Amino acid sequence: MPPGGGAGTGAGTGAGTATVTAAAPASAAPPDTGDGGDSHGGGRRGGSQRGGKRPARQTRPKRGKRRILLWTAGTLSLLILGTAGAGYVYYEHLNGKLKKEDLNLGSRAMPDHKANAFGQTPLNILLIGSDARNSEENQKLGGAKETFDSPPLADVQMLVHLSADRSNISVISMPRDTLVKFPECTDPDTGEAYPATAGVRPVNESLGRGGPGCTVATWYELTGITIDHFMMIDFAGVVSMADAIGGVPVCVDRNIHSRNAQGKGSGLKLEAGTHPVKGEQALQWLRTRYGFEDGSDLARTHAQHMYMNSMVRELRANTKLTDPNKLRKLAEAAIEALTVDKGIDSVGKLYDLGQALKSVPTDRITMTTMPNFYSQRPGYQGKVEPEPEDAEQLFRMVREDTPLDGKGVKKPPAKPAESKDPAAAPAEIPVMVQNGTDGDGLLAARGRATAVAGLLADKGFTLARAESARNPVKTTVVRFSNAELEGDAQAVAKALGIPLSSVKKSTDVTGITLTVGADWREGDAFPKATPKQDDKAPESARPLNGADDTECMEVQEGFTW
């Protein structure tokens, strides 16, 4: 172990001898050398198929326009293990290159984890891919000159969750153009305060609101998941890392050449079957959108998950990484490209994180993409929003430390707590009622918002009003905008027999909104059902098991040769 490599991160260490990495690759490529990254293309996986062709990227205030590929890699545990014997002087040399920033730039403090029955706590690390093109090495790898030295975007965002008992790892990727509300953030270097947004913006812009700590704060605001650390990497070290590993096996079901008539594409050219990719070819795989599945960013994310899992398997089996000089160069490249939170204040802390991760077997690693759907907000068509139910299920499972692979110990459903805030009189509680009965893909039941608003009026909620806009949901939900309204929202649910588990705080509403879901298409009484405790990631998240070496990317029509 290198000097200072104690358990300072609070992550703990895991038993076993295998070395594991969690690698989180890339997003949109530059227009002149890779994928344009501004169109999701046609059909989607992992979310509802709402909306159509994705429009051109919106102009960003103050920050300019970017279309850049990012590579994010969590291979540092391997690198540090490889250099552990290099001596104290070299260790201090690496320490001096480690860049550190604040973990959380938001105004809300994240709570500590709750320990399990054995006193163990989980570990959550946010991997961020910055599209910074401010180094000569990154610029040589491609990119339009007008994007050099402009503010970076967080074009890759993946949350790595290590379970409290260190038995499993869950990864959630968030699409770069997910629309979210930003919390208040303050730039620690300039003191500039960025106020919370009233409307939504693409999540990758969070990095420009003070740094990676604002991306962390944005994730916490959306998911409620406590984040312990972040690691932010540009793609300067991709080529050397892939070369050192000796190649990562990937598979395509047909010959592929990622280049269209307009010159867009990564340039990836492979024959059908499984091939090891390294160097710039590995970079091409990670940036490919045109040519995979439906040509969408979600297809690219799926390919990245395949690469990540294959890399973990390769590193577990690889015996080639024995050259100390090669490992030192690899560590130099990785550290040079890395920025971490101040809780990881040394290379020794990175070593500890690697120790905590390394004992998880590959068949207990699950990669997922946040379930989403096309936005229909004016000016944002083609961008995506979290799918309310499936995305929340994924977030809840991570919050509750439930494995996404369905192999965890079955727990009884948690009983929602009643609000300590007393409810106002029914006649004093305004409620907007929406018709969301088309959430199961069928036509909406006509008049449901009016009918349910009438039921509320009969129970004394005389300020209940039906809203003409529809909001498709599978299950009925009561949402409230701030904590002071929780008691009132629960009173609305109780009046109609809706379970308290369906009452949720949301920044997407003002006041209290009741959305009647596909589970209540008719009748005056809310249908009784036994609460179901989800114990596996929803299929819309496209879960991919780390041990699955049979996955093969589907090649898009028009990109074969």
Side-chain angles (χ1 to χ4, degrees), residues 204-260:
N204 63 350
E205 294 180 10
S206 59
L207 194 57
R209 294 168 56 86
C214 193
T215 304
V216 169
T218 301
W219 267 77
Y220 175 63
E221 193 75 18
L222 176 67
T223 68
I225 297 171
T226 294
I227 297 172
D228 303 283
H229 298 292
F230 72 76
M231 295 183 185
M232 182 173 72
I233 300 185
D234 59 26
F235 61 84
V238 173
V239 174
S240 60
M241 289 181 191
D243 282 344
I245 294 169
V248 174
V250 295
C251 178
V252 287
D253 67 352
R254 289 187 290 174
N255 295 350
I256 180 174
H257 187 200
S258 177
R259 188 73 74 197
N260 66 11

Side-chain angles (χ1 to χ4, degrees), residues 38-345:
D38 283 339
S39 173
H40 274 299
R44 299 176 61 84
R45 301 189 187 201
S48 306
Q49 296 187 12
R50 303 177 194 163
K53 187 176 180 181
R54 189 176 184 177
R57 182 180 293 282
Q58 303 296 313
T59 300
R60 294 181 175 86
K62 293 174 61 178
R63 293 296 180 180
K65 296 189 293 183
R66 300 297 296 270
R67 298 178 190 175
I68 299 295
L69 162 78
L70 271 306
W71 159 256
T72 243
T75 54
L76 295 170
S77 59
L78 170 77
L79 307 181
I80 303 311
L81 285 169
T83 58
Y88 181 78
V89 173
Y90 184 68
Y91 169 78
E92 287 301 309
H93 168 70
L94 287 182
N95 264 347
K97 288 178 173 288
L98 193 59
K99 298 181 288 292
K100 300 174 282 290
E101 294 194 24
D102 292 342
L103 173 65
N104 179 15
L105 299 182
S107 57
R108 292 179 60 198
M110 291 183 291
D112 293 333
H113 294 293
K114 291 182 179 179
N116 64 14
F118 301 98
Q120 302 164 312
T121 55
L123 177 69
N124 295 319
I125 306 170
L126 185 63
L127 302 179
I128 303 171
S130 160
D131 73 352
R133 303 303 287 268
N134 54 3
S135 73
E136 183 178 352
E137 187 175 4
N138 278 333
Q139 292 168 3
K140 285 180 180 178
L141 289 172
K145 291 183 178 180
E146 66 269 18
T147 66
F148 294 175
D149 298 313
S150 56
L153 299 171
D155 269 355
V156 178
Q157 299 177 34
M158 294 186 178
L159 182 71
V160 178
H161 171 80
L162 176 63
S163 65
D165 64 4
R166 305 305 190 247
S167 68
N168 65 90
I169 291 174
S170 300
V171 179
I172 301 176
S173 292
M174 187 184 298
R176 66 189 182 121
D177 280 344
T178 301
L179 298 177
V180 299
K181 291 184 178 180
F182 291 140
E184 177 185 345
C185 290
T186 302
D187 190 317
D189 296 326
T190 67
E192 180 178 0
Y194 296 87
T197 59
V200 295
R201 297 293 300 166
V203 71
N204 63 350
E205 294 180 10
S206 59
L207 194 57
R209 294 168 56 86
C214 193
T215 304
V216 169
T218 301
W219 267 77
Y220 175 63
E221 193 75 18
L222 176 67
T223 68
I225 297 171
T226 294
I227 297 172
D228 303 283
H229 298 292
F230 72 76
M231 295 183 185
M232 182 173 72
I233 300 185
D234 59 26
F235 61 84
V238 173
V239 174
S240 60
M241 289 181 191
D243 282 344
I245 294 169
V248 174
V250 295
C251 178
V252 287
D253 67 352
R254 289 187 290 174
N255 295 350
I256 180 174
H257 187 200
S258 177
R259 188 73 74 197
N260 66 11
Q262 291 74 43
K264 295 180 179 180
S266 70
L268 177 70
K269 191 171 185 179
L270 287 175
E271 294 183 356
T274 300
H275 309 275
V277 294
K278 59 182 180 178
E280 292 193 38
Q281 194 174 41
L283 193 62
Q284 289 174 334
W285 174 275
L286 296 166
R287 76 197 311 176
T288 295
R289 176 167 67 83
Y290 295 110
F292 282 158
E293 298 180 344
D294 59 3
S296 73
D297 279 337
L298 295 185
R300 171 161 44 203
T301 298
H302 190 56
Q304 292 166 359
H305 287 171
M306 287 186 190
Y307 183 95
M308 292 162 64
N309 282 340
S310 183
M311 175 181 278
V312 171
R313 293 192 299 269
E314 194 70 9
L315 287 168
R316 291 287 181 96
N318 203 319
T319 59
K320 300 174 184 177
L321 295 173
T322 56
D323 184 339
N325 187 53
K326 181 178 288 188
L327 283 168
R328 279 193 289 270
K329 289 181 179 179
L330 191 57
E332 289 269 5
I335 295 294
E336 190 72 34
L338 181 69
T339 301
V340 297
D341 67 275
K342 292 178 179 177
I344 307 174
D345 57 6

Side-chain angles (χ1 to χ4, degrees), residues 346-359:
S346 70
V347 173
K349 297 289 182 68
L350 285 171
Y351 178 91
D352 287 346
L353 291 179
Q355 288 289 89
L357 292 167
K358 76 174 188 177
S359 63

Side-chain angles (χ1 to χ4, degrees), residues 410-534:
K410 300 296 185 290
K411 305 174 185 176
K415 186 177 181 180
E418 294 215 16
S419 174
K420 296 179 181 179
D421 182 41
E428 298 174 2
I429 302 176
V431 185
M432 295 302 298
V433 184
Q434 298 175 334
N435 185 349
T437 54
D438 50 342
D440 56 0
L442 301 177
L443 292 176
R446 301 180 68 175
R448 285 305 288 163
T450 300
V452 173
L455 293 176
L456 282 172
D458 291 342
K459 295 181 179 296
F461 293 85
T462 54
L463 297 180
R465 297 288 183 270
E467 192 174 35
S468 58
R470 288 206 305 276
N471 182 19
V473 293
K474 295 177 183 176
T475 58
T476 300
V477 61
V478 180
R479 294 175 293 168
F480 59 96
S481 58
N482 55 71
E484 290 76 14
L485 294 176
E486 183 177 23
D488 294 351
Q490 288 189 354
V492 171
K494 290 176 183 177
L496 296 174
I498 299 170
L500 293 187
S501 59
S502 296
V503 179
K504 304 180 185 297
K505 184 177 181 292
S506 172
T507 57
D508 289 333
V509 300
T510 300
I512 298 173
T513 297
L514 164 61
T515 306
V516 185
D519 58 344
W520 195 13
R521 296 179 62 87
E522 59 185 9
D524 293 348
F526 185 78
K528 300 294 182 182
T530 302
K532 177 179 177 293
Q533 179 73 4
D534 298 303

